[in-house]
């Protein structure tokens, strides 16, 4: 029995969406999951938020991130991660002078950007 390995090459354009706090890129999307890379500029933070239809898993890949999940505040570095359950209040903050980047894996039946309930936002977004 012979096992052959085949490598396929695909070329995709990954769009970077700019936000007041930094940027995000959707790396992959399939039914039930989405993978994003998120960059947070020095001194900036995402809104305090929750989601009705998705859970998230965050892995820090660059810098030192302050992550709030419910009443817990964690300081995470590269390779460290956190799970954000469905409906949990959460926020990502960069309190440093260097960029922070995370990989976010979303799981749920609906993964649209409009499933964000902002509870507090530094940039006046609803």
């Amino acid at each position: 029995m012979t096992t052959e390995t085949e490598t396929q090459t695909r070329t995709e354009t990954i769009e970077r969406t700019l936000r007041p706090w930094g940027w995000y890129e959707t790396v992959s999307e399939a039914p039930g999951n989405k993978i994003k890379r998120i960059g947070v500029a020095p001194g900036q933070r995402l809104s305090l938020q929750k989601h009705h239809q998705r859970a998230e898993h965050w892995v820090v890949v660059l810098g030192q991130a302050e992550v709030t999940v419910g009443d817990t505040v964690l300081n995470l570095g590269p390779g460290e991660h956190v799970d954000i359950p469905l409906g949990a209040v959460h926020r990502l903050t960069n309190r440093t002078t260097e960029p922070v980047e995370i990989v976010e894996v979303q799981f749920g039946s609906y993964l649209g950007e409009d499933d964000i309930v902002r509870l507090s936002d530094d940039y006046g977004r609803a």
Side-chain angles (χ1 to χ4, degrees):
M1 184 169 169
T2 304
T3 303
E4 293 185 34
T5 302
E6 181 181 329
T7 302
Q8 296 180 347
T9 302
R10 67 181 194 189
T11 303
E12 296 181 22
T13 300
I14 297 176
E15 293 181 4
R16 179 169 285 192
T17 302
L18 301 180
R19 291 288 186 252
W21 43 261
W23 52 266
Y24 74 86
E25 299 168 342
T26 299
V27 177
S28 174
E29 188 168 1
N33 68 81
K34 182 188 289 188
I35 302 170
K36 286 183 172 181
R37 188 171 185 110
I38 298 172
V40 182
Q44 301 301 308
R45 64 185 181 174
L46 280 65
S47 59
L48 184 66
Q49 60 186 255
K50 65 181 179 177
H51 309 287
H52 292 299
Q53 300 184 64
R54 72 175 183 245
E56 298 175 343
H57 178 77
W58 291 354
V59 180
V60 177
V61 295
L62 179 68
Q64 294 293 317
E66 180 182 287
V67 177
T68 303
V69 181
D71 294 329
T72 303
V73 178
L74 304 167
N75 287 297
L76 304 178
E80 296 182 302
H81 56 91
V82 64
D83 286 308
I84 302 164
L86 177 71
V89 174
H90 60 284
R91 182 191 305 251
L92 175 62
T93 302
N94 181 356
R95 295 198 184 279
T96 75
T97 58
E98 300 296 323
V100 164
E101 291 184 20
I102 68 165
V103 171
E104 174 184 272
V105 182
Q106 302 176 0
F107 301 96
S109 58
Y110 178 74
L111 304 172
E113 288 300 309
D114 57 346
D115 182 30
I116 298 174
V117 178
R118 288 189 178 90
L119 306 171
S120 176
D121 184 69
D122 295 348
Y123 314 102
R125 297 172 300 170

